[in-house]
Amino acid sequence: MSDVHGRAGGRTDDWADGLFDGFDPADAPGDGPVAFGGAPTGAVLLAAARRGLFPLPGDDLAAAYREARYGAEVASGRVRLLPGPAGADPYALAWWCPDPRPVVTAGGVHLSTRLRRGLRGRADWCSTADRAFAEVVAGCARGRSPVWLTPELRAALVGLHRAGAAHSVEVWEGDALVGGVFGVAVGGVLSLDSMFRLRPGADRVAVADLGDRFAAAGGRLLDLQWDGAHVRALGARPVARRDYLGALAGPGAEAVPLGTGPLPVARLG
């Protein structure tokens, strides 16, 4: 898995060695960042995912707000301040581990009756997996404000994908990419980072398709990271963070191989 080391495949800086050693997010804040600092290299992203953390980069304005808002919690030790590259503002990168955590059983993603009926006639739609990972990440970043999928983070995610630790599902209309989703896998758990659509429902179709492929490969659980009505509609249920962290430590292959070939999305109807 050489591609996960360094920013986009090179050597990891010394500050990143053991960055999360001894860090247990179980007792950290559940409704705010649990840490600041570091940098989104492939090795760091994977180490964070194994502890239930995911990154949220920000610009200078966001960093200034975070320091003002959470500086006292950092000083008290309730929120951890991590080392990082020389000269980097640690508050430019926040790490989250929400409590509760919305999860859905792999293969158990719910699609609305209306969407399922519509899929039965979509002979022009098909799905693939891990065929256009970088394009899916770019689609998720396009037009988003504030920008959290920074070029640095996107490069690290592509490195994880090449190493087999990050996956995507693509929804195609003919030769056009019209929707997708991507996430990082830890054993039998796949944490979904973002999804996009250029056609109504294509993002939700991507999630359901990824759930089915992950289940077929032996995966157990999809993590949808942020609770809310949109993930509840997909069948997610909130679980206590401690239970989610326990699931990460459960059995499962370190890199779950997905079936990547084209499949008709009509089967999901």
Side-chain angles (χ1 to χ4, degrees):
M1 294 179 64
S2 60
D3 283 341
V4 305
H5 299 293
R7 293 180 183 274
R11 182 187 63 82
T12 302
D13 292 315
D14 291 342
W15 57 262
D17 294 337
L19 188 65
F20 296 105
D21 286 356
F23 180 35
D24 182 1
D27 296 319
D31 57 354
V34 299
F36 294 105
T41 69
V44 169
L45 292 180
L46 193 56
R50 287 170 174 157
R51 290 164 176 80
L53 313 181
F54 55 87
L56 193 62
D59 58 17
D60 291 344
L61 184 61
Y65 169 79
R66 290 167 176 171
E67 184 172 11
R69 170 65 178 82
Y70 299 105
E73 292 189 78
V74 169
S76 71
R78 189 163 184 259
V79 175
R80 186 163 175 173
L81 197 65
L82 305 170
D89 185 344
Y91 288 95
L93 181 58
W95 297 95
W96 287 74
C97 187
D99 189 10
R101 198 73 169 244
V103 299
V104 61
T105 302
V109 175
H110 171 76
L111 297 178
S112 69
T113 300
R114 181 179 179 181
L115 179 55
R116 286 189 288 108
R117 285 174 178 166
L119 291 179
R120 294 168 191 163
R122 296 248 46 156
D124 57 338
W125 279 22
C126 75
S127 68
T128 57
D130 290 340
R131 296 288 183 90
F133 182 89
E135 291 87 342
V136 169
V137 175
C140 292
R142 190 178 301 118
R144 301 287 178 90
S145 182
V147 176
W148 69 273
L149 277 169
T150 61
E152 186 179 32
L153 177 54
R154 287 165 61 177
L157 287 165
V158 170
L160 283 184
H161 168 66
R162 290 172 179 162
H167 301 287
S168 64
V169 154
E170 306 86 28
V171 178
W172 304 90
E173 184 177 280
D175 294 330
L177 181 65
V178 297
V181 64
F182 76 91
V184 177
V186 175
V189 179
L190 180 55
S191 184
L192 304 186
D193 281 292
S194 190
M195 57 186 181
F196 85 99
R197 69 183 183 200
L198 297 180
R199 299 288 186 273
D203 50 348
R204 289 171 285 161
V205 169
V207 174
D209 189 279
L210 181 54
D212 281 4
R213 291 176 188 260
F214 192 57
R220 296 178 288 109
L221 205 64
L222 298 184
D223 161 36
L224 280 72
Q225 295 188 343
W226 303 99
D227 194 16
H230 63 297
V231 299
R232 298 283 184 101
L234 290 169
R237 67 187 193 283
V239 300
R241 180 170 56 191
R242 285 186 178 275
D243 292 336
Y244 173 72
L245 297 176
L248 285 178
E254 194 61 27
V256 178
L258 299 184
T260 63
L263 293 173
V265 301
R267 78 190 196 283
L268 301 172

